[in-house]
C-alpha cells in the first residue's frame, strides 16, 4: 500500500450523544443521537485568524487537523511547491439557518429586498466545498492539485484512490488526504439520521499524508468499520486514521 507518513484527527474524546434542535424546519425540530466535538468555532485554532469569518466550522476543523503536517511536507515543497496535492472529502457548506428562518413566509414582494439585507456575501464562501481545503492549502503553502469529493458516503474512498493514482503516476510526490464533518447543516444531519437510524452521528476531522511505494492499496477494506459511531462524509478517512493509530 502507499506509505503513510503522518496522520492526525480531531474527534470527540467521549461519545455523549445529545439532541440537535432546530426551529426553522418544522419536521426536524429534534434530531437525537449526535456527538459534537466540544469546541466552539472560536476555540478552533487556525494559522490565519483573519480568515475566520470566511470559513465554515468544517473548514476550521479541516485546517486545525492539517496544521501539524507542515513539517512533514516542508522538504517536498522546498524542492517543488507543486509536488504536494490535496484530496478532500467535504460536504457542501450550509445555507445560513437564521437567514432561512427570517425568509420563511415572507410576502413575495419583500423577498428580494429582505434577502439582500440578510445575506452577507461571506456566507457564500462557507457554502463552497472546495474553499475549505483551498484555505487549508493556502495556510500550508501547497500549490499542487486540489481535488474535492462530495459524495455523501464514498467521498473518502474516492479521495484516497485518486491520491494513490496521482502518486503512482508521479503527478505528485506527496498526497494530503483530508476530511471534516460538522453539524452546521440541519438538512444534511436529517439525511444522515434517516440513512443511519441506529448509530451515533459524530463530528470529526482527519488527515493522512501519503507517498508512493509502488503498490496499489485495497482502500475499501481499510476504510470499512463496524463501529457504532458514524462520522458522516468523513467516516471512511476517520476509520483509516483510527486503524493506523491502533484504536
Amino acid at each position: 500500500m502507499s506509505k503513510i507518513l503522518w496522520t492526525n484527527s480531531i474527534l470527540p474524546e467521549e461519545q455523549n450523544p445529545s439532541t440537535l434542535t432546530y426551529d426553522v424546519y418544522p419536521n426536524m425540530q429534534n434530531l437525537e443521537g449526535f456527538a459534537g466535538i466540544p469546541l466552539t468555532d472560536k476555540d478552533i485554532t487556525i494559522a490565519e485568524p483573519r480568515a475566520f469569518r470566511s470559513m465554515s466550522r468544517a473548514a476550521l476543523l479541516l485546517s486545525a487537523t492539517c496544521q501539524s503536517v507542515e513539517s512533514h511536507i516542508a522538504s517536498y515543497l522546498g524542492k517543488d511547491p507543486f509536488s504536494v496535492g490535496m484530496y478532500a472529502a467535504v460536504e457542501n457548506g450550509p445555507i445560513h439557518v437564521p437567514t432561512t428562518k427570517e425568509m420563511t413566509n415572507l410576502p413575495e414582494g419583500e423577498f428580494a429586498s429582505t434577502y439582500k439585507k440578510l445575506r452577507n456575501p461571506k456566507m457564500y464562501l462557507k457554502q463552497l466545498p472546495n474553499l475549505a481545503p483551498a484555505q487549508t492549502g493556502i495556510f500550508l503553502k501547497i500549490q499542487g492539485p486540489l481535488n474535492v469529493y462530495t459524495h455523501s458516503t464514498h467521498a473518502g474512498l474516492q479521495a484516497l484512490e485518486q491520491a494513490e493514482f496521482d502518486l503512482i503516476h508521479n503527478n505528485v510526490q506527496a498526497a494530503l488526504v483530508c476530511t471534516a464533518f460538522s453539524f452546521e447543516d440541519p438538512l444534511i444531519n436529517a439525511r444522515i439520521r434517516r440513512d443511519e437510524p441506529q448509530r451515533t452521528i459524530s463530528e470529526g476531522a482527519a488527515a493522512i499524508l501519503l507517498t508512493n511505494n509502488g503498490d496499489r492499496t485495497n482502500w475499501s477494506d481499510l476504510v470499512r468499520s463496524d463501529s457504532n459511531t458514524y462520522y458522516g462524509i468523513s467516516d471512511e478517512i476517520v476509520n483509516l486514521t483510527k486503524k493506523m493509530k491502533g484504536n
Side-chain angles (χ1 to χ4, degrees):
M1 60 180 289
S2 295
K3 184 177 181 180
I4 297 177
L5 295 184
W6 166 92
T7 67
N8 193 30
S9 60
I10 298 177
L11 306 171
E13 292 184 4
E14 297 181 7
Q15 296 294 335
N16 295 314
S18 60
T19 299
L20 301 181
T21 302
Y22 304 102
D23 58 1
V24 64
Y25 300 111
N27 295 328
M28 61 172 89
Q29 290 186 355
N30 297 297
L31 296 174
E32 298 180 352
F34 285 76
I37 293 170
L39 294 171
T40 67
D41 290 358
K42 292 184 178 180
D43 291 332
I44 302 172
T45 302
I46 59 173
E48 178 46 77
R50 288 179 297 180
F52 178 86
R53 292 185 60 207
S54 301
M55 298 174 67
S56 65
R57 179 173 174 83
L60 294 169
L61 289 171
L62 189 73
S63 177
T65 304
C66 292
Q67 281 184 45
S68 60
V69 79
E70 190 168 11
S71 62
H72 298 272
I73 60 175
S75 61
Y76 296 100
L77 297 178
K79 296 175 183 177
D80 180 358
F82 302 97
S83 65
V84 179
M86 292 187 67
Y87 305 82
V90 289
E91 293 272 12
N92 291 305
I95 301 297
H96 192 238
V97 174
T99 297
T100 302
K101 183 178 179 180
E102 290 290 332
M103 299 297 294
T104 303
N105 300 322
L106 276 178
E108 183 176 349
E110 298 179 16
F111 187 93
S113 59
T114 304
Y115 185 78
K116 183 178 180 180
K117 179 179 69 175
L118 295 173
R119 180 71 174 177
N120 185 322
K122 287 185 179 293
M123 292 181 193
Y124 185 55
L125 301 177
K126 298 182 179 184
Q127 289 179 248
L128 299 176
N130 60 303
L131 287 186
Q135 189 66 71
T136 298
I138 292 170
F139 294 158
L140 295 172
K141 299 180 175 60
I142 294 174
Q143 299 182 43
L146 171 64
N147 298 268
V148 182
Y149 303 90
T150 60
H151 191 283
S152 60
T153 56
H154 295 307
L157 183 60
Q158 292 168 345
L160 287 163
E161 291 184 342
Q162 183 64 54
E164 189 166 72
F165 179 91
D166 285 355
L167 287 168
I168 289 174
H169 290 82
N170 293 315
N171 296 327
V172 295
Q173 298 304 306
L176 179 60
V177 181
C178 53
T179 187
F181 169 67
S182 68
F183 295 156
E184 292 169 283
D185 194 324
L187 298 177
I188 290 176
N189 297 335
R191 183 200 71 206
I192 294 174
R193 174 47 72 211
R194 178 201 64 194
D195 296 340
E196 294 286 346
Q198 302 299 325
R199 293 199 279 180
T200 297
I201 311 302
S202 176
E203 287 189 316
I208 300 171
L209 183 65
L210 302 175
T211 57
N212 180 26
N213 72 349
D215 295 330
R216 297 299 296 267
T217 309
N218 185 352
W219 295 113
S220 296
D221 288 342
L222 289 173
V223 301
R224 190 175 295 118
S225 172
D226 297 324
S227 170
N228 290 326
T229 303
Y230 183 68
Y231 297 92
I233 197 171
S234 298
D235 192 65
E236 294 172 319
I237 299 175
V238 167
N239 291 337
L240 180 58
T241 60
K242 292 174 75 173
K243 287 181 180 179
M244 295 301 103
K245 294 179 179 180
N247 294 335

